[in-house]
Amino acid sequence: MSDEHVPAAATPDHVAIIMDGNGRWAERRGLSRSEGHRAGTFRVRPIAEACIDAGIRHLTIYALSTENWSRPRKEIEFLLSLLGERLRAERKAIFEHRIRIRVLGSMAPLPPALRLAVRGMERATANFDRLTLNIAFNYGGRSEIVRATKAILQDRIDPEDITEDLFERYLYTTGVPDPDLVIRTAGEMRLSNFLLWQSAYAEFYSTPVLWPDFDDDELHKALEGYAGRLRRFGGVTSRSGVAKPVGED
């Protein structure tokens, strides 16, 4: 086996998914965009359960970006209502599977009742440990970095004390390992402002499958692709297939 094909790891610890294609899925079926978004929400539980079965400990899904607020008001209002609706509908399954819920992003623009529902679910599941489901909602990677920088300045941290580890403690994802694998559905090949800091060394997998059609089989295809990757983290590969820093012979 050549160095280029030495498996990175059997299973990623953290998978992040850019759930794209709801609108196109609906359009192809003569349905409204709202119906496409609703169909997309029904894919989350099966994929979360498949992650548990595969031994994945962290799953992050991109549900609403900061840029999405430019969409028609009715669509945004529907997306906001969907979050609360699905948290209520999936509560039993979340507790049965001991899934910890975390919402990444600014809660400020959300309706008060939705903010309360989100924070209540986060508190109720805080000690669950089978899977952490991070829902990136009203989230943007650039705004997250700006927010962290402002918080560091407000805390009057000495510039000499600012390290990557310290900076990470100011991010929404503090306490969550960086994603090993980022999956994007619907054939697009960009991050779209998703986990910019955290995905510095993530493996990327794109599939033409639209998110409402992304099932267990498609997830396992992505995992198989990941297992065949060689993760160098900026280093070179030894004969054993283990990456090591450049300069070490």
Side-chain angles (χ1 to χ4, degrees):
M1 180 179 291
S2 68
D3 287 344
E4 288 74 15
H5 294 87
V6 176
T11 305
D13 188 42
H14 182 179
V15 172
I17 304 178
I18 302 172
M19 307 180 297
D20 199 6
N22 292 336
R24 276 169 278 178
W25 182 90
E27 183 180 346
R28 292 176 185 179
R29 289 161 176 76
L31 303 174
S32 69
R33 288 181 59 84
S34 293
E35 289 171 300
H37 291 310
R38 185 181 297 281
T41 66
F42 286 105
R43 297 309 314 151
V44 176
R45 194 216 299 189
I47 294 303
E49 292 174 353
C51 284
I52 292 173
D53 292 341
I56 295 163
R57 301 297 301 276
H58 302 269
L59 171 64
T60 301
I61 57 174
Y62 204 8
L64 181 73
S65 76
T66 50
E67 290 77 22
N68 287 156
W69 290 91
S70 63
R71 293 185 178 183
R73 181 178 179 83
K74 289 186 67 174
E75 183 174 348
I76 292 299
E77 289 176 348
F78 182 78
L79 291 171
L80 292 174
S81 68
L82 266 185
L83 175 60
E85 174 187 309
R86 297 317 302 165
L87 286 177
R88 290 190 299 272
E90 300 294 349
R91 184 181 179 88
K92 181 179 179 181
I94 289 168
F95 276 72
E96 286 180 349
H97 290 289
R98 296 187 60 79
I99 297 173
R100 182 183 182 186
I101 300 295
R102 291 183 57 172
V103 176
L104 314 178
S106 173
M107 296 291 99
L110 273 57
L114 180 56
R115 288 202 303 270
L116 286 173
V118 166
R119 296 311 184 201
M121 182 63 78
E122 288 181 323
R123 287 192 296 271
T125 63
N127 294 321
F128 291 171
D129 55 7
R130 286 191 77 193
L131 176 75
T132 297
L133 174 59
N134 303 296
I135 304 171
F137 198 86
N138 191 30
Y139 172 88
R142 288 182 174 181
S143 64
E144 178 185 32
I145 292 170
V146 170
R147 171 184 173 274
T149 303
K150 288 180 178 179
I152 289 172
L153 291 173
Q154 289 170 354
D155 286 347
R156 300 179 183 276
I157 304 294
D158 188 318
E160 294 300 319
D161 294 332
I162 299 174
T163 63
E164 290 184 11
D165 287 341
L166 182 141
F167 194 87
E168 287 174 354
R169 293 202 292 271
Y170 284 82
L171 298 173
Y172 289 122
T173 52
T174 181
V176 178
D178 289 342
D180 301 293
L181 173 64
V182 175
I183 300 170
R184 179 156 190 162
T185 58
E188 304 296 345
M189 299 288 286
R190 58 184 179 273
L191 284 174
S192 294
N193 204 19
F194 181 53
L195 299 179
L196 298 182
W197 173 281
Q198 299 87 340
S199 297
Y201 282 102
E203 297 295 318
F204 190 79
Y205 178 90
S206 177
T207 173
V209 175
L210 304 178
W211 172 245
D213 292 327
F214 189 86
D215 56 15
D216 295 15
D217 289 341
E218 293 299 329
L219 175 64
H220 286 296
K221 288 178 185 178
L223 297 179
E224 288 171 3
Y226 169 83
R229 305 281 182 88
L230 178 62
R231 306 185 72 193
R232 293 185 176 86
F233 297 99
V236 295
T237 308
S238 68
R239 285 297 176 186
S240 66
V242 177
K244 60 183 180 180
V246 174
E248 291 186 12
D249 295 327

